[in-house]
Amino acid sequence: MKSGKRLKYSPLGQKRSGAEPKIVSCVEGEEWRCAEVAEMLLAGKVGIIPTDTLPAIVADLENREAALKLYSVKEMSAKKPLSILCRNFQDIAHYTNGFPVSNEAGARDWFKVLKRLLPGPYTLILPASKNLPTQVVDFMKGRTVHRKSVGVRIPDDHITQGVLAALGRPLLCTSVHVGEHIGDDTECPDLGSMLESYGASGIDFIVDVGPRIATVSTVVDMTGAEPEIVRVGRGDPAPFEQ
């Protein structure tokens, strides 16, 4: 792994007191510890895990209290949408209404296209199905926020997929705060930086995988008849361009 510029998280404001987060080392050869991470998530814990792009703050999709804690840890409005990390296309089919379908001659079969791209560094915005739990709640006012769409990912990362497999269902997620432009040689923050930024914010655990280069996913809105590229990241946008 080439060394690069160290990336620090942006400030999160006033820290909350609490226990130090548990550090889970999960470098090559220690994938068995994914089961330990899944157990903490099932118990309602919120933590940071690696993905194939930026690290993600994650919580059990089915746990309302954990979802509210995730919002609190990142100090974000409950009106801001979250994404879900999925194991496979079956998860996407369950929580969304699927990909655009057209009967016009020459129209692309998006399922076949995405089978070639995923797992990979893409976030797809799709119409949410009725199966998506109503965990996006404005905890300041007590109002449930209706979600018509949701961002979904199938990360190409063996640690992420190991945690998802052990958990047995998708995870609610949001990327960590980034306080600067990400270049080709920008590193994800090391454990010390993560502890400095999140150690007293209420985070319960951090999965430490050692140095990695920081990247962002390519975001594609697929809620309409044709996909719209929202952000170009690590994933090649060419398959979605006309």
Side-chain angles (χ1 to χ4, degrees), residues 147-213:
R147 299 184 71 177
K148 295 182 179 180
S149 62
V150 63
V152 298
R153 294 209 58 213
I154 304 181
D156 186 16
D157 183 90
H158 67 289
I159 299 298
T160 315
Q161 287 297 336
V163 172
L164 290 169
L167 186 69
R169 56 176 177 255
L171 281 167
L172 197 63
C173 78
T174 180
S175 295
V176 297
H177 282 281
V178 177
E180 60 184 89
H181 172 73
I182 297 177
D184 293 338
D185 62 346
T186 304
E187 285 187 0
C188 290
D190 58 17
L191 179 59
S193 297
M194 288 192 282
L195 284 171
E196 180 181 356
S197 294
Y198 286 95
S201 69
I203 205 80
D204 295 304
F205 66 87
I206 299 172
V207 177
D208 180 23
V209 294
R212 289 189 176 189
I213 297 298

